[in-house]
Amino acid sequence: MKHCIICLQELDLFQGLKREQLTDLCQCTQRKRFCKGDYLFHQGEITSTIYLIKSGKLKLVQTDQEGHNTILDICGPGEVLGEMSLYREQNEPSSAIAMEELYACCFNKLQFESLIKRDPSFALRIIAYLGQKRYETLLRTGKETGLPVKERLLQLFYRLAEEHGRTTPTATLIDLKITQQELAEMIGSSRVMVVQALKELKAANIIGRENKYFILKNDPCLSAHTFT
C-alpha cells in the first residue's frame, strides 16, 4: 500500500490529495507491466480500463482503411489514457503501444466512477486535466497545419524536446528511441520526405544524433517561437 501511495503521489493528477484519498485510490488500483511492443488497447475496442502511466512511454497509433498509420501522440509518466470511457461507451480511436518497458496504474471504469462520486473535488481535477489536454492538442494542430515538411518536423522536435528532453551543455537530448518512419507518421508525411528534411536540418546544424537519440542543438539565433 505504501509503495502504491508513493506511486500515485508522483503523478500530476494526484498532487495535493490527502493520504486517505490516496489510500482509497490504491485499494482499487492494479499495477501492470508492459514490454516494448505490447498493446494497452487496440483501435476499435471498447475498453473499461483507465490507465495512469507511471513510467515508460507509449505511442497512440491510428490506422486508416488503407492501412496507413498516424502517430497521434507519445505519452509518458503522469498521463491518463482511456479517460473518455468515463463519459460514454465508445470504440477507441487509436491503439496504445508501449515504446519501451512501461508501468501503469490501472482502474476499472466503475471503480473510478465510484471514487469521483465520493469526492467531487477529484471530479474537478479530472475535468481540468481533460480540458488542458484538449486545449494543447488543438493548439498543436493549429500551429502545424499547412507548414512544409521541414518546419513541421522542426516543430515536432521542439515539442518532443519540451516533453521528453534532457538538457546538456550544448543541446537537448530527446529521450525517445524514435525511427524515421515514426517521425513521418507523427507529422503526416512520407519517410522519404522526412529523410530529406532530416538531412537539411542536420546540414544546418540544428539537430544531430547521439547514441540512437535525436538531439536539438542550442542556437541563440533559433527558438521554438520561430514558427509560431
Side-chain angles (χ1 to χ4, degrees):
M1 179 68 71
K2 181 178 179 181
H3 178 79
C4 175
I5 290 175
I6 293 173
C7 169
L8 294 181
Q9 281 178 326
E10 292 176 355
L11 298 176
D12 289 343
L13 185 59
F14 303 121
Q15 291 289 322
L17 287 187
K18 297 177 182 178
R19 187 175 182 84
E20 55 267 28
Q21 292 173 308
L22 291 169
T23 300
D24 287 343
L25 283 168
C26 288
Q27 288 175 345
C28 62
T29 301
Q30 182 181 5
R31 194 165 183 259
K32 289 187 178 181
R33 172 181 175 269
F34 299 88
C35 298
K36 181 179 179 180
D38 285 351
Y39 282 72
L40 281 72
F41 51 78
H42 291 79
Q43 181 175 331
E45 286 183 347
I46 295 177
T47 62
S48 59
T49 302
I50 298 161
Y51 300 89
L52 310 175
I53 308 304
K54 165 59 181 170
S55 65
K57 298 179 181 69
L58 60 85
K59 56 185 177 181
L60 296 176
V61 181
Q62 190 173 74
T63 305
D64 64 20
Q65 292 182 344
E66 286 73 40
H68 299 135
N69 292 330
T70 299
I71 298 178
L72 303 178
D73 204 356
I74 293 178
C75 302
E79 298 199 61
V80 181
L81 298 176
E83 71 283 351
M84 295 310 296
S85 67
L86 288 170
Y87 303 100
R88 61 179 178 177
E89 189 176 86
Q90 62 179 18
N91 297 330
E92 288 294 341
S94 61
S95 299
I97 309 170
M99 300 178 69
E100 57 193 27
E101 185 178 61
L102 181 144
Y103 287 90
C105 298
C106 306
F107 294 83
N108 178 276
K109 173 186 173 181
L110 295 178
Q111 293 171 322
F112 215 72
E113 286 178 343
S114 176
L115 289 171
I116 289 174
K117 289 176 182 177
R118 294 205 310 268
D119 184 359
S121 68
F122 187 60
L124 294 176
R125 284 175 176 269
I126 294 292
I127 292 169
Y129 174 85
L130 296 180
Q132 181 64 25
K133 193 173 180 181
R134 174 66 173 165
Y135 171 76
E136 290 173 354
T137 299
L138 290 173
L139 188 63
R140 181 171 72 241
T141 302
K143 282 184 177 181
E144 296 174 358
T145 300
L147 291 175
V149 171
K150 184 170 70 173
E151 295 185 10
R152 294 208 308 270
L153 186 60
L154 186 55
Q155 286 279 9
L156 173 63
F157 277 128
Y158 274 113
R159 176 163 61 86
L160 294 178
E162 182 178 353
E163 296 173 356
H164 307 286
R166 288 194 283 113
T167 303
T168 70
T170 59
T172 299
L173 184 145
I174 299 172
D175 193 14
L176 288 170
K177 290 184 178 179
I178 190 166
T179 66
Q180 294 173 342
Q181 181 60 41
E182 287 173 327
L183 290 173
E185 291 172 1
M186 292 189 76
I187 65 171
S189 182
S190 68
R191 182 176 177 276
V192 172
M193 295 291 287
V194 164
V195 169
Q196 179 59 40
L198 285 172
K199 288 180 180 179
E200 294 176 13
L201 291 173
K202 288 177 181 177
N205 202 35
I206 296 172
I207 65 166
R209 292 279 276 181
E210 185 176 301
N211 297 327
K212 297 184 179 180
Y213 294 96
F214 284 101
I215 59 172
L216 189 62
K217 298 183 180 181
N218 295 341
D219 185 341
C221 298
L222 191 67
S223 75
H225 300 292
T226 302
F227 301 105
T228 57

